Amino acid sequence: MMANQKGTKRKREVDVDTLKDAPREVRVVEYVENRAAEIKALQKYLGESRGNRLVMQLLPKGLRRRALSHNIKRLPRRLREAAKKEYVNRDTKSRRKPPSRKFRRRPKNLLDEYNRRQRKHVWLETHIWHAKRFKMEEKWGYKIPIQPTDKSKRASYRSTKRHCLIQDHSYMCCIELKGPEHCLLDGLSHMTNNSTGQTFAAKGCLSGIREGLTMLYSCDHYPLGAIGCASFLWKPLTGSDVTLTNIRQLWIWVHPGCHGEVCQNLEKSFLLSKEMKYQNKGMEVWTETSEENTQISDTDNDETQGKVDTQVESMKINETVENGCQDNNKTSNNNSVKPNLNRSQKTDSGSEKELVTWEMKVGEVEMESLKDCLVRFCLTGPMSQTVLSQTLQVADIIPQGSRDLWWQQFYSKDHMAIGHTQQRQFWNEVTKCRSPGELTPHLVMGLTVRDPRILMPDIRTKATENQEVETDPCVMSEAPVPDVSLSAIWDPTVRSNVKETKMTDHQLNKLKSEHLIPGTPLELGQRESKIPIILIQNPGVRSRSKGQSSTAPSYGSGWDIVIPAGWSMAFWVGFNYRCARAGGLQESESVAHEQGVLHFPQGYPDTVVGREDERNLHHQLLDTYNKKPPAKRPNYTKLGIQCPFQFPWRSLVKQWAMKEGMEEKWNQTGDEFYVLKDKGILKEVSKVLTEFTDRKLSKENKEGLSTNMVSRNHQFLSLVSKNTNCLVPVEIAMATRGCPERFANISIPTQEDLARLVSDPKSGGPTEMVHKTRNEKEDMKKTKKQKLDKNSEKRSIGKMEDSHTAGNEEGPSQSETHNVDEMSVDLIGNCSRSVIGYIKEGGFMLGVGNGRGLGFVSIIGLIKLLGTLPHKLPCTVLVRNPTSYQYRYANLHVLY
């Protein structure tokens, strides 16, 4: 029986009506029209040439001969007609022969080509050096080196840890302000806030011996309207400057992505402070006249008339100021940055580039953009001190005889000569320190040094530390006098003179070849250039809060050097000859990640530059994702990831506010979010997290942990209620295994997850379930029915759309999946664990030896997290990478 059944075939079902779905009639006209359109499209497709190649270029390699291009009869017969058409329609005009390489490599032609290529994106002075060794990208109007061509992440870390890493930050824009100190502080107070840290009025920075760091906001829009980070430097006041005038000079260094926005808000702020100043003066004059008029008799008509005249004049001034402010505000909205293309600058390569300058005067305050007028290098690492001491040598200044040179005129005054002597002595003491981290933070030094090209060694030599030199502890702790921080680089005439009188490399090499004793340094006397510079100490990682273990306390310390434009290659090559490893933008991000700090603009999503960077990253990753076949890319719908390529900060904060019933407070802020930067509130949040996790467990708080937390922290909750639409910057440290990646979810663990962690500290963590996708078979049937009702052209378009959607197995289209900010997608409850934030930058930290990440969480979600924490367990969250189902345990710390 089994053998007979094995060979038998199933009987065909006769009862099935095969003609049931057949059409009742055939519409001949409609059928012929559709077929005619298809045939016409097919003929057109076959007649068109696909690609830009000629018939000769379509031949196989075995038939490609030079003779075929002259004799069409030697071509295959199937290609002769097409070749004849190309021959008839060929371009008969005489083509100009391209210039030879020898002609193109002439110096003049090279410079013309360089100038042409700099019209859209400005080159740094070290661009040609970097272009041979680095991957370059166009960012923020500049050609910026991103990373070396060799894979150097670990090598760069070793340089910052043990030796020296040098980076060219000359794309940072400098804005110069001049005016009375009180006018500058009044205008700048509209763009800063004391709660975020230092402001321009910090006592340690007003003297000019320290550089300050602050956060800039739009005019009177704090905490909304964040612009970006800025470093500022006041010109030091010497004894003579204090007695003569109260005019101060201030340099503000900002990122090129927010340079235009900063200039616009500076204009608005100083116009607003000027208007308020005149209004206050008018009110004072009015009160004085009203009080004195009651005591004046009728005989004193002249005096009263004079006081009334002053009152009228003050009112007229107020009217003119208000009108002027309105007009200026109108013009500022249209074109706040007023370009002036009359200035040009000559780079090290000899090419001239036009400088777009911005100048404005509001009252007594003068504003000018020094963009591309200064060069700034960043040296990071413990050996940066040694590299600087071997590359820089303080020049001997003897201002005697004629005063034709700039340094003879500048140091002809006694107090300037004394200041130069103090700078030399202080620099000699500083060079004895083993690391820049031993000095006072953000120390500023002014020096006038010799030409580094004369002191350059013959071969590349690694700078080594001198172990026999004893350091002076007084120099490390005490701040210098203001004369030590003063430099001649503040004077624009000195900067232009230093650039114009620079000896070219050709002249210097000719003098070296004619030198009698080869290998010895040249002695040029007064012909040698003297370059004024500014050195700014970078302290690196400072003391961290409780529970945050990080790298060495002085990691990332170094020096920033500010040089006049035109001298960058001379110093850059000198530093590289001391084996300072060159880095790019990626190395800056790596150093910031190792330090545990946010890097601008990637780590500031509430700024315009940060949002633009996120959009560019979103489009770049989405294009890369769409180019891959479905089998070679993750299915984010099954993974439960709503936003794999973007950060929906606004939707996340809004959904948490709606979930907890705080939608009214969210609507009051205009549906905008911001990053909490108030250090007082951040310290209070961090304190509550540590105290809440280290509390003693009693019978009273076993059941209602969140209720007890509310009763004990009324002040904290009141602060949180005022900042419901904000994000809290946090640091995520993996508890056991795992490494957080960008776009990873930060979720709240359940009680079962925490109980598993308490019972097994080495637990790997829970896993997310596989999410369901839509039924593909039903969708295919629907599409087939739609195709029967459409003509051929529409069907061809439908096929293209189906092929596009077939490559995306996630189910929803790409726009539905990734534009989360524009849709009502459930970000919190889509997965089994509630999401409270995302990882902005993550990876493996070489200094600590485990995975770390920096991100942002909703402050309402952070309160919800506190209610789930058990006794004697640090603030624990779950982290899941966007390409994994696995959750990992991690500890959360607040950054401030």
Side-chain angles (χ1 to χ4, degrees), residues 65 150 162 203 324 456 571 589 606 706 771 852 889:
R65 299 287 185 273
D150 58 339
R162 302 172 187 173
K203 293 183 179 179
M456 195 176 301
F571 285 86
E589 298 174 3
D606 56 339
S706 60
H771 291 244
R852 294 289 178 93
Y889 294 106

Side-chain angles (χ1 to χ4, degrees), residues 178-192:
K178 290 182 182 179
E181 182 177 317
H182 67 278
C183 294
L184 293 176
L185 295 178
D186 290 343
L188 294 171
S189 63
H190 296 282
M191 299 179 63
T192 56

